[in-house]
């Protein structure tokens, strides 16, 4: 099939490249000419394991091309995925200006039937907005062109997005047109992924499934983070409590019950906020969502408090921040715990050394004056305390004797419960983790 994917961020680029691997003819569009020029040289602008290989393969076999012009490729496209950014606006709602701009451009230039699909996470009702935007322009053009609007939310996780695409648990496609053409075409698009359950729904339900899924997972994390706070008061171990919960198949062994440094990234914080605002604007505030966000905020403060427990006066003290991304295997620093912890420690006049193999470039953009180091051991050197914020495992394989010799003081805040508390409490003594 001939497919256009508009927007080459984490979602659009991964989706477009993976569709090309399924054998479709894909054009990935972006208005950012620098980004497109880089992609045309197979230079991937984001870090996502396995993505470079899929892009290179698609580019070499001619299934995947990159362009800045939507108009140029519109005529041949059967379906157009909108995967542009929907950043949170000042009012807490997702900002849909880029989605609307794409819909407007499509409406000005289409000449025959198209299926237009939202791939970015968009609030319920966005499909209706796109429908109305396009129809209004077609009416003004005085042309009778039919089109369908569908929702096909993505459930990919950063860091495993390529794997999730090919081994995904479900594909949700929603469309309101009862003739079924769009839903059938979309099913065809994914027919070579037979192990993935395909759920056909109406438009609003598909849009809501995406928000509900992320809100539910975020709620699990806030639940376990608040349980962790309780464990600290009751001398219980949150990792054991989570283990006990996961053994109940109604909760599940993959449940998001790892207590830690709070949920970050471009999805959970934004999506929970959006859903909470949607509920509020409908006059039915949702306490569960509000509590999920409030607990997440409290968790940020609690990690800073743990550092202050080990180093009550940070002035002039050197603190090593290990790993900056919002989770392992990504360069994404949106809503990452490191942003809050770094700000709080700089306010207290600490000297910060930082390290992350993928995310330092993005972080340096906002914090040019920190000391960026070449590896975890150099980061620890001369530090009075180490703070592990991302769930990378490398610290466990570091030469601990060398780390002890290189550090000025042996203090560790393990904000992800990555390490054996028995060993660290016995050997380093000044070790704090989360909820245990
Ligand atoms: C999330 C969802 O998991 C995907 O299904 C969805 O497609 C995606 O958002 C999206 O909407 O695009 P992602 O943001 O890549 O994916 O990351 P997750 O692996 O879900 O982690 C989110 C945050 O929660 C991270 O900061 C992570 O460290 C934290 N987390 C996760 C915990 O603190 N505890 C857990 O048990 C799990």
């Amino acid at each position: 099939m001939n497919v256009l994917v508009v927007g080459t961020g984490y979602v659009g680029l991964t989706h477009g490249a993976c569709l090309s691997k399924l054998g479709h003819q894909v054009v990935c569009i972006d208005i950012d000419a620098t980004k497109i020029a880089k992609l045309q040289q197979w230079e991937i602008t984001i870090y996502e394991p396995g993505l470079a290989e899929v892009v290179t393969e698609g580019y070499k076999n001619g299934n995947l091309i990159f362009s800045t012009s939507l108009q140029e490729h519109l005529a041949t496209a059967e379906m157009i995925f909108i995967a542009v950014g929907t950043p949170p606006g000042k009012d807490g709602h997702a900002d849909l200006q880029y989605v609307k701009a794409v819909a407007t451009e499509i409406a000005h230039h289409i000449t025959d039937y198209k299926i237009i699909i939202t791939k970015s996470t968009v609030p319920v009702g966005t499909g209706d907005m796109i429908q109305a935007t396009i129809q209004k322009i077609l009416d003004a053009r005085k042309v009778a062109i039919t089109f369908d609007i569908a929702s096909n939310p993505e459930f990919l996780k950063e860091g495993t997005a390529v794997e999730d695409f090919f081994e995904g648990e479900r594909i949700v496609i929603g469309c309101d047109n009862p003739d079924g053409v769009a839903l059938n075409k979309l099913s065809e698009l994914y027919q070579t992924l037979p192990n993935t359950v395909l759920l056909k729904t109406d438009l609003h339900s598909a849009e809501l499934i995406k928000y509900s899924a992320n809100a539910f997972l975020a709620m699990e994390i806030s639940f376990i983070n608040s349980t962790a706070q309780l464990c600290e008061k009751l001398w219980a171990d949150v990792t054991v409590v989570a283990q006990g919960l996961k053994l109940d198949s109604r909760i599940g062994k993959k449940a998001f019950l790892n207590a830690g440094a709070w949920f970050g990234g471009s999805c959970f914080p934004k999506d929970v906020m959006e859903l909470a605002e949607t509920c509020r604007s409908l006059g039915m505030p949702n306490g569960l969502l509000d509590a999920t966000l409030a607990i997440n905020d409290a968790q940020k403060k609690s990690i800073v408090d743990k550092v202050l427990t080990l180093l009550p006066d940070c002035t002039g003290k050197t603190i090593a921040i290990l790993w900056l991304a919002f989770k392992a295997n990504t360069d994404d620093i949106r809503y990452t715990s490191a942003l809050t912890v770094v700000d709080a420690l700089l306010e207290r006049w600490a000297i910060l050394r930082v390290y992350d193999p993928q995310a330092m470039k993005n972080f340096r953009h906002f914090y040019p004056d920190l000391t960026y180091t070449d590896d975890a051991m150099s980061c620890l050197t001369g530090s009075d305390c180490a703070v592990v914020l991302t769930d990378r495992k490398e610290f466990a394989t570091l030469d601990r004797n060398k780390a002890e010799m290189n550090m000025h003081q042996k203090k560790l805040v393990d904000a992800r419960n990555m390490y054996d508390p028995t060993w660290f409490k016995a050997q380093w003594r000044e070790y704090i983790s989360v909820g245990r």
Side-chain angles (χ1 to χ4, degrees):
M1 281 184 190
N2 285 313
V3 180
L4 292 192
V5 180
V6 189
T8 58
Y10 286 92
V11 174
L13 184 59
T14 309
H15 185 63
C18 291
L19 282 179
S20 78
K21 196 173 164 70
L22 293 185
H24 301 297
Q25 292 291 317
V26 181
V27 184
C28 283
I29 312 275
D30 205 295
I31 50 168
D32 183 340
T34 317
K35 206 186 224 187
I36 291 297
K38 283 185 180 169
L39 287 166
Q40 283 168 340
Q41 305 295 320
W42 314 342
E43 197 185 317
I44 309 296
T45 43
I46 53 174
Y47 176 81
E48 187 59 53
L51 184 58
E53 290 79 354
V54 182
V55 169
T56 310
E57 185 186 327
Y59 204 75
K60 280 187 179 162
N61 67 23
N63 281 358
L64 180 64
I65 59 172
F66 298 101
S67 171
T68 49
S69 172
L70 170 60
Q71 194 184 337
E72 195 182 308
H73 298 278
L74 207 49
T76 48
E78 293 163 78
M79 45 182 82
I80 305 148
F81 284 92
I82 302 180
V84 294
T86 54
K90 286 198 182 88
D91 57 357
H93 281 295
D95 179 353
L96 295 177
Q97 61 167 309
Y98 306 108
V99 173
K100 197 165 181 182
V102 175
T104 303
E105 192 174 354
I106 293 170
H108 279 297
H109 301 291
I110 45 170
T111 52
D112 58 0
Y113 173 77
K114 304 285 177 214
I115 305 169
I116 297 139
I117 310 124
T118 48
K119 195 74 199 169
S120 314
T121 301
V122 289
V124 180
T126 302
D128 302 340
M129 179 276 280
I130 297 172
Q131 168 90 36
T133 303
I134 296 179
Q135 194 55 57
K136 197 170 158 202
I137 295 169
L138 293 180
D139 292 346
R141 283 175 61 197
K142 297 194 176 19
V143 289
I145 299 168
T146 56
F147 64 95
D148 273 318
I149 303 295
S151 162
N152 174 213
E154 58 92 13
F155 300 107
L156 311 178
K157 298 184 291 305
E158 286 180 30
T160 53
V162 172
E163 189 186 320
D164 291 347
F165 181 96
F166 294 108
E167 308 292 331
E169 287 171 337
R170 84 282 212 199
I171 293 169
V172 173
I173 47 179
C175 179
D176 285 344
N177 191 344
D179 75 8
V181 171
L183 289 181
N184 289 340
K185 278 266 174 200
L186 275 162
S187 316
E188 240 179 84
L189 186 76
Y190 296 112
Q191 69 187 357
T192 47
L193 295 174
N195 298 330
T196 309
V197 175
L198 197 131
L199 179 67
K200 294 182 185 177
T201 74
D202 59 279
L203 191 54
H204 284 191
S205 299
E207 289 172 338
L208 191 53
I209 286 169
K210 169 68 194 191
Y211 275 101
S212 302
N214 276 3
F216 191 84
L217 292 168
M219 212 167 64
E220 288 188 324
I221 299 169
S222 277
F223 177 83
I224 204 67
N225 281 339
S226 72
T227 306
Q229 307 268 349
L230 192 61
C231 288
E232 286 172 15
K233 297 272 183 243
L234 298 175
W235 295 90
D237 181 337
V238 75
T239 53
V240 179
V241 174
Q243 201 183 353
L245 294 174
K246 288 179 186 180
L247 287 172
D248 183 330
S249 63
R250 292 169 301 177
I251 297 173
K253 56 180 185 292
K254 288 187 181 168
F256 268 23
L257 291 175
N258 302 314
W262 80 82
F263 59 78
S266 69
C267 307
F268 286 176
K270 172 170 79 82
D271 294 352
V272 181
M273 255 186 274
E274 172 62 46
L275 194 57
E277 284 310 316
T278 301
C279 294
R280 231 182 305 283
S281 58
L282 292 170
M284 41 190 300
N286 185 324
L288 276 175
L289 299 175
D290 293 337
T292 298
L293 292 168
I295 293 167
N296 206 39
D297 273 345
Q299 195 69 3
K300 300 181 189 184
K301 195 178 164 298
S302 81
I303 302 299
V304 176
D305 288 345
K306 287 178 197 301
V307 180
L308 297 179
T309 304
L310 294 186
L311 270 185
D313 179 8
C314 295
T315 315
K317 294 285 189 313
T318 301
I319 300 178
I321 308 283
L322 277 169
W323 307 301
L324 305 166
F326 81 100
K327 63 173 187 176
N329 290 327
T330 175
D331 60 354
D332 197 341
I333 58 164
R334 287 174 286 180
Y335 288 94
T336 179
S337 42
L339 295 169
T340 310
V341 172
V342 162
D343 281 345
L345 296 178
L346 287 177
E347 260 172 37
R348 289 167 175 84
W349 303 101
I351 299 162
L352 301 183
R353 298 172 66 77
V354 301
Y355 175 66
D356 187 301
Q358 278 99 33
M360 280 198 291
K361 188 166 159 238
N362 289 339
F363 212 76
R364 198 193 289 263
H365 185 71
F366 297 100
Y367 297 91
D369 298 330
L370 306 180
T371 302
Y372 290 85
T373 59
D374 293 335
D375 51 47
M377 186 60 81
S378 335
C379 185
L380 294 174
T381 301
S383 63
D384 293 288
C385 179
V387 187
V388 168
L389 289 176
T390 302
D391 50 342
R392 299 187 69 93
K393 298 190 178 71
E394 286 94 317
F395 192 89
T397 55
L398 282 184
D399 179 342
R400 286 180 192 166
N401 291 333
K402 202 169 164 198
E404 281 178 31
M405 276 183 336
N406 287 355
M407 285 179 79
H408 191 231
Q409 299 190 61
K410 285 191 297 185
K411 296 177 195 272
L412 173 62
V413 175
D414 174 6
R416 292 286 190 162
N417 289 347
M418 298 294 293
Y419 309 112
D420 174 10
T422 317
W423 189 91
F424 272 100
K425 279 178 185 165
Q427 303 297 320
W428 282 37
R429 292 202 182 83
E430 296 198 84
Y431 167 87
I432 303 187
S433 53
V434 177
R436 54 183 198 165

